[in-house]
Amino acid sequence: MPTYRAPTRDTRFVVNELLRLDSFGNLAGFEGADREMTDTVIDEAGRFISEVVAPLNQQGDQEGCTRAADGSVTTPAGFKAAYDQFRESGWGTLSAPEAFGGQGMPHIMGMLVEEFLASANQAFAMYPGLTSGAVASILTKGSAEQQELYLPKMISGEWLGTMNLTEPHCGTDLGMIRTRAMPQADGTYAITGTKIFISAGEHDLTENIIHLVLAKTPDAPESSKGISLFIVPKVLVNADGTLGARNAVSCGSLEHKMGIRANATCVMNYDGAIGTMVGEENKGLAAMFIMMNVARLGVGIQGLAQAEVAYQNGVAYAIERRQGRALTGPAEPQEKADPIIVHADVRRMLMDAKALTEGLRALCLWGALQADLSHKAATGEERAAADDLLGLLTPVIKGYGTDSGYKVATDMQQVWGGHGYIVENGMEQFVRDARIAMIYEGTNGIQAMDLCGRKLAANGGRAVQALFALVDGECEGVEGDLAGIADKLAKANGELKAATMWFMQNAMANPNNLGAGAYPYMTLMGTVAVGLMWLKMAKVAAAALVGGVEDRPFYEAKLTTARYFAERHLPDCGALRRKIEGGADSVMALPVEAFATAA
Amino acid sequence: MPTYRAPTRDTRFVVNELLRLDSFGNLAGFEGADREMTDTVIDEAGRFISEVVAPLNQQGDQEGCTRAADGSVTTPAGFKAAYDQFRESGWGTLSAPEAFGGQGMPHIMGMLVEEFLASANQAFAMYPGLTSGAVASILTKGSAEQQELYLPKMISGEWLGTMNLTEPHCGTDLGMIRTRAMPQADGTYAITGTKIFISAGEHDLTENIIHLVLAKTPDAPESSKGISLFIVPKVLVNADGTLGARNAVSCGSLEHKMGIRANATCVMNYDGAIGTMVGEENKGLAAMFIMMNVARLGVGIQGLAQAEVAYQNGVAYAIERRQGRALTGPAEPQEKADPIIVHADVRRMLMDAKALTEGLRALCLWGALQADLSHKAATGEERAAADDLLGLLTPVIKGYGTDSGYKVATDMQQVWGGHGYIVENGMEQFVRDARIAMIYEGTNGIQAMDLCGRKLAANGGRAVQALFALVDGECEGVEGDLAGIADKLAKANGELKAATMWFMQNAMANPNNLGAGAYPYMTLMGTVAVGLMWLKMAKVAAAALVGGVEDRPFYEAKLTTARYFAERHLPDCGALRRKIEGGADSVMALPVEAFATAA
């Protein structure tokens, strides 16, 4: 059976030493975030999640959820009890606003718990995870009444939330939704329609579930300009907060899925269910994007999370399993064979996993810091700069992060050889679970288009120019052992600049030049962004070693891994640029008929 | 439900126009292989497999195999009837030697049927598929008596065969096997031990199963130099060929696997089972490698096969599913949305799939032709040249071919968005099934080491030099539209040469420089080899178009796809070279403890 232990040492490194959270004490919510507090949260949340939530992962996958004839859904054995403990522990409320019962801490704290939870049990993590997006929407766009009625219980975890976007005929293209919202005399709406792929749409963890539902009012324009957002509780909530009648929303069936089987993915039937509108009519897409941006970062972290847990189990096996001899001669001649970690090709996979996992952790938590800075930094300029970087890198964290999660999960399964293919050993579950993160909350192709079609051009390219400058600044004047890393990163940044320039010069003439290059561009920017994190981490580690830190092997490993990333990942940037510069011609030239397999 | 139709048009192109099988009429077995014959086989085998075998794929995955208390195993519904039809059709005997009841045709014919079969139903294909390897061993190393007793019925498919190598504690490192073979007075051996991961180890398709088993005789040296190979039939065979008593071999349990669930993967218990030795004592590894080399090509073809079937279903969905609008303006304004095949990023995935699938088909069938030429070509020089190329490229076809199969299956699932994650739609099965091919018959990491540690150096590097020359020769003097493709291929070949040179200069000093670079080197050679096939195909297509062929769109698509591969895949070669030249330092530098996730 696979195991999981929260990577608390590395998390502390990122929070305390790389991002230096305690240096932001002047910002609201950061005052109490000193090292003692952050260390305690990291260690205790890590311990709880490793001990209580992780052991349910494999059994949950095998058991799955069950729907009864009345539409009720039962989660796997142990989920309800673990959820109750999780809720009572308060680990889910760290970064939620104090006004509604949260602890008001920096986003980083909530994010790192999300990582631990998704490593331990992605299907479990999705129950509270989707609630964050719903909360963010109500917080930004909901009325005072809606906020008071729903937020305290959603933040405490007494109720959970969902996002209802997709319908059978439309996912990405939400302008096509058919779910209708008929205005009622009392100001509410009667919602009717079918939503699919609704994660945590129905379950037994909480007595109420707050659905956020996209629907169209009767005279709404076609297209995405005619979408409104509604709160539709499973059980109606009286004005005093007590529960009323059951609403006309139910789970019609559960999907059979490749993975995340312990999460109830529901077809939801709305049959004149009562809902209230969030924000303005026909402005639902904007409200939805608030949910989506929160959710996209969360999904990026799932990529990291699956990489981390797969890595831990890959390493354990590589140390334990003995096959063959080191190429340089027997490492343990007294044994019949060496542990497979002596083999360079096994190391290659472990180093990829380590470099990607630690690099993505730094990037995700750095992103969470930008989220706070975008609201709380002292000057408007600083706030805008943080907002720019977060907006630019959110699709990259989601897309490149989940691609990397799947790659690492696949590689760590590979380390296990044939035993990795056997269900009981758990490695194949990591691959199946990691796979969904590349698809939901906007496929990674959609992330690439968001990046290239929207984020690059916004404000005259201000955000991407800021990223270029940030990377160049980090590379400038680096000498000594780290110079090689900085040189390679500067070169990779040059490829990113050249690719960006190529888009600027060629996307007007043919927008497909942008579409055809978007995916390699996202990968290119992800590689540079993680490279930037590695250079930053290497600097911190080098300084710590000079300063005579105790835990030398930890910091030495950071230096080696930074070098590995520079030597083994940054070279891809040149190839990615060349692919982009190939343009759309050969991508788009074939007539549709040419794709059919001819007899 | 996913569908499959054998890609007969493309297969005919490779066999008739690219490889020009009919031009080898002077070779034994090729006399009758004119276009009429090959076209008939391709079309009829394709039709049979598409209609009879493919429809059992999804149901077989869901049903799996069942083991009864007595150790007997039942395959999924329909498998036995389909297998009987397959056997009677003779599609499994095309390339088997006539001396034992086969049809004696070129290997290409058997290989292309293997592809169709593995696309239609990989789990089903493995039942007859593993028999080929067993047959090859007996054919090369077995005694006349063994050949007469077993080969006719194995070739006809009346009996099926297996390969028993792996034990719980050893897979790659076969020197460690513990299964014992005690010599008996009558010249037979009593085999005792446990083998795991035995594909098709027990089933209800045939009345007998012929196990080829690696075991150690009492005084065998430790290490792989003390392994012998044995034939151990499930039911003993009398000297007259009739069946005798049940042998002491049984299936102890079935594995639960990520995929290929309709194939019975067995733990096999040998409890003093009677066997006869194949070839010489302690020379079992050599006999085993005959099986393995046949099996590795077959596994490479599984990569191609899963790519093909996933591609077909990805294309069908991309044409049918409507979301959003083309970046260049609505393609079908009368509809609410355009089919997603208008989107450049969807095209990117489809073009990758098409380029890899058709490129690998050409490479696999070209490899099968080398197999025949290595035995049958007119001169010793030609035979050696073919043998060199086949030996060099077998691990590449297996490793790069199955990596590509998994990539394409994953991408085609991605085209389906959320619907690709739903079991009923079948796309996720292709990913799960494709995954095993990267692991079995030697993990892809082992293929990379076979390539770099063994094949590169053999005969002073003769084989790789021949490949360099082949590619350069193909690129030389290319003018006109194809010059761009040839230039890029020549450059990629230059990267391959440089990487090879780097190994020559650095592997002696530190063998880990070879180990650390082996995997990217395999990918690099695979990319060049498929690039070579695309240049060859482009030349054939260009000539056909000049010649005024009827089916113009097919040939024009070849030209476009060749260009796509050159623009989108060949640029990776430079990055792969740089990774190799990074050497082993950062790969191997970490102490083992540094991989542990610290608290």
Side-chain angles (χ1 to χ4, degrees), chain A residues 348-535:
Chain A
R348 170 187 63 80
M349 292 188 277
L350 297 178
M351 287 302 297
D352 273 347
K354 188 175 173 66
L356 286 169
T357 304
E358 295 179 10
L360 285 170
R361 178 172 298 116
L363 183 63
C364 288
L365 297 182
W366 175 87
L369 179 59
Q370 305 312 311
D372 275 326
L373 293 178
S374 71
H375 293 300
K376 300 179 176 174
T379 68
E381 204 176 324
E382 286 171 282
R383 289 194 295 274
D387 195 53
D388 279 353
L389 285 170
L390 179 64
L392 184 72
L393 286 166
T394 292
V396 175
I397 289 173
K398 196 281 185 183
Y400 178 72
T402 60
D403 281 354
S404 301
Y406 184 64
K407 176 198 155 45
V408 170
T410 298
D411 278 355
M412 295 302 96
Q413 180 189 25
Q414 192 75 11
V415 168
W416 279 63
H419 297 273
Y421 202 67
I422 303 300
V423 170
E424 284 80 353
N425 292 326
M427 299 305 291
E428 58 93 46
Q429 185 188 344
F430 300 139
V431 177
R432 289 186 289 103
D433 287 354
R435 184 68 186 88
I436 189 59
M438 298 153 77
I439 298 173
Y440 62 17
E441 306 306 343
T443 63
N444 286 359
I446 291 295
Q447 305 301 321
M449 283 311 296
D450 177 45
L451 172 64
C452 296
R454 196 173 305 164
K455 302 295 175 61
L456 276 190
N459 301 311
R462 196 175 67 193
V464 73
Q465 295 295 338
L467 179 68
F468 295 156
L470 193 68
V471 177
D472 281 338
E474 201 69 48
C475 294
E476 218 175 84
V478 176
E479 285 175 10
D481 289 350
L482 305 187
I485 298 172
D487 286 351
K488 288 187 177 67
L489 180 59
K491 185 157 181 257
N493 199 31
E495 310 287 8
L496 184 63
K497 288 177 197 170
T500 311
M501 182 65 80
W502 191 89
F503 275 158
M504 284 172 60
Q505 291 166 341
N506 294 278
M508 284 291 231
N510 179 3
N512 279 329
N513 279 328
L514 197 78
Y519 211 98
Y521 187 88
M522 176 176 75
T523 308
L524 173 50
M525 187 177 282
T527 307
V528 169
V530 170
L532 170 66
M533 293 299 135
W534 271 114
L535 180 56

Side-chain angles (χ1 to χ4, degrees), chain A residues 5-10 12 167-173 176 196-197 222 255-261 308 311-312 315 319 321-324 327-328 336-337 341-345 347-348 350-351 354 406 410 413-414 417-419 421-424 428 431-433 435-436 438-439 443-445 449 491 510-512 515-517 519-520 556-557 560-561 563-564 567-568 571-572 575 578-579 582-583 585-590 592 594-599, chain B residues 5-10 12 167-173 176 196-197 222 255-261 308 311-312 315 319 321-324 327-328 336-337 341-345 347-348 350-351 354 406 410-411 413-414 417-419 421-424 428 431-433 435-436 438-439 443-445 449 491 510-512 515-517 519-520 556-557 560-561 563-564 567-568 571-572 575 578-579 582-583 585-590 592 594-599:
Chain A
R5 192 164 65 141
T8 51
R9 177 68 185 91
D10 196 56
R12 287 199 309 271
E167 300 185 6
H169 64 292
C170 71
T172 298
D173 189 352
M176 288 160 71
I196 64 168
F197 300 162
E222 296 218 7
E255 301 286 0
H256 305 111
K257 308 183 302 294
M258 183 186 198
I260 52 164
R261 291 192 189 141
E308 171 66 36
Y311 168 68
Q312 290 187 18
V315 167
I319 292 174
R321 174 77 169 179
R322 292 176 180 278
Q323 295 288 282
L327 288 176
T328 46
K336 288 209 167 173
I341 201 168
V342 305
H343 302 308
D345 191 62
R347 287 281 181 135
R348 170 187 63 80
L350 297 178
M351 287 302 297
K354 188 175 173 66
Y406 184 64
T410 298
Q413 180 189 25
Q414 192 75 11
H419 297 273
Y421 202 67
I422 303 300
V423 170
E424 284 80 353
E428 58 93 46
V431 177
R432 289 186 289 103
D433 287 354
R435 184 68 186 88
I436 189 59
M438 298 153 77
I439 298 173
T443 63
N444 286 359
M449 283 311 296
K491 185 157 181 257
N510 179 3
N512 279 329
Y519 211 98
E556 285 160 356
T560 298
T561 312
R563 189 150 73 83
Y564 180 87
E567 289 174 359
R568 289 284 180 142
D572 286 327
R578 273 189 287 281
K579 291 178 191 191
D585 283 0
S586 69
V587 180
M588 303 302 292
L590 287 190
V592 168
F595 288 98
T597 300
Chain B
R5 192 164 65 141
T8 50
R9 177 69 185 89
D10 196 55
R12 287 199 309 270
E167 300 185 5
H169 64 290
C170 71
T172 298
D173 190 352
M176 289 160 71
I196 64 168
F197 300 162
E222 296 218 6
E255 302 286 1
H256 306 112
K257 308 185 301 294
M258 183 185 196
I260 51 164
R261 292 192 189 141
E308 171 66 36
Y311 168 68
Q312 291 187 18
V315 168
I319 292 174
R321 175 78 169 177
R322 294 176 179 276
Q323 297 287 282
L327 288 176
T328 46
K336 287 207 169 177
I341 200 166
V342 304
H343 301 308
D345 192 62
R347 286 281 181 135
R348 171 188 61 82
L350 297 179
M351 288 301 299
K354 187 174 173 67
Y406 184 63
T410 298
D411 278 354
Q413 180 188 25
Q414 191 76 11
H419 298 273
Y421 202 65
I422 304 300
V423 170
E424 284 80 354
E428 58 93 47
V431 176
R432 290 187 288 104
D433 287 355
R435 183 69 186 88
I436 188 60
M438 298 153 76
I439 298 172
T443 63
N444 286 359
M449 286 309 297
K491 184 156 180 256
N510 178 2
N512 279 330
Y519 211 98
E556 284 160 357
T560 299
T561 312
R563 190 150 74 83
Y564 180 88
E567 288 174 359
R568 289 282 180 142
D572 286 328
R578 273 189 287 281
K579 292 178 192 190
D585 283 0
S586 69
V587 181
M588 302 303 292
L590 288 190
V592 168
F595 288 98
T597 299

Side-chain angles (χ1 to χ4, degrees), chain A residues 6-25 29-47 91 94-95 103-113 116 365 369 372, chain B residues 599:
Chain A
T8 51
R9 177 68 185 91
D10 196 56
T11 305
R12 287 199 309 271
F13 171 78
V14 174
V15 172
N16 296 332
E17 300 178 69
L18 178 70
L19 302 178
R20 300 209 48 213
L21 201 62
D22 59 0
S23 71
F24 295 92
F30 286 64
E31 313 85 353
D34 58 20
R35 286 201 184 195
E36 197 186 331
M37 188 281 274
T38 57
D39 285 357
T40 305
V41 169
I42 291 167
D43 289 347
E44 292 302 313
R47 197 163 56 82
W91 297 127
L94 294 174
S95 303
Q103 301 182 50
M105 291 186 198
H107 268 97
I108 288 179
M109 303 311 292
M111 281 288 184
L112 65 87
V113 170
F116 296 169
L365 297 182
L369 179 59
D372 275 326

Side-chain angles (χ1 to χ4, degrees), chain B residues 535-566:
Chain B
L535 180 56
K536 283 172 175 282
M537 289 195 280
K539 286 182 182 180
V540 171
L545 286 165
V546 168
V549 80
E550 267 182 34
D551 186 9
R552 294 187 70 86
F554 178 86
Y555 296 93
E556 284 160 357
K558 285 284 176 205
L559 291 179
T560 299
T561 312
R563 190 150 74 83
Y564 180 88
F565 191 86

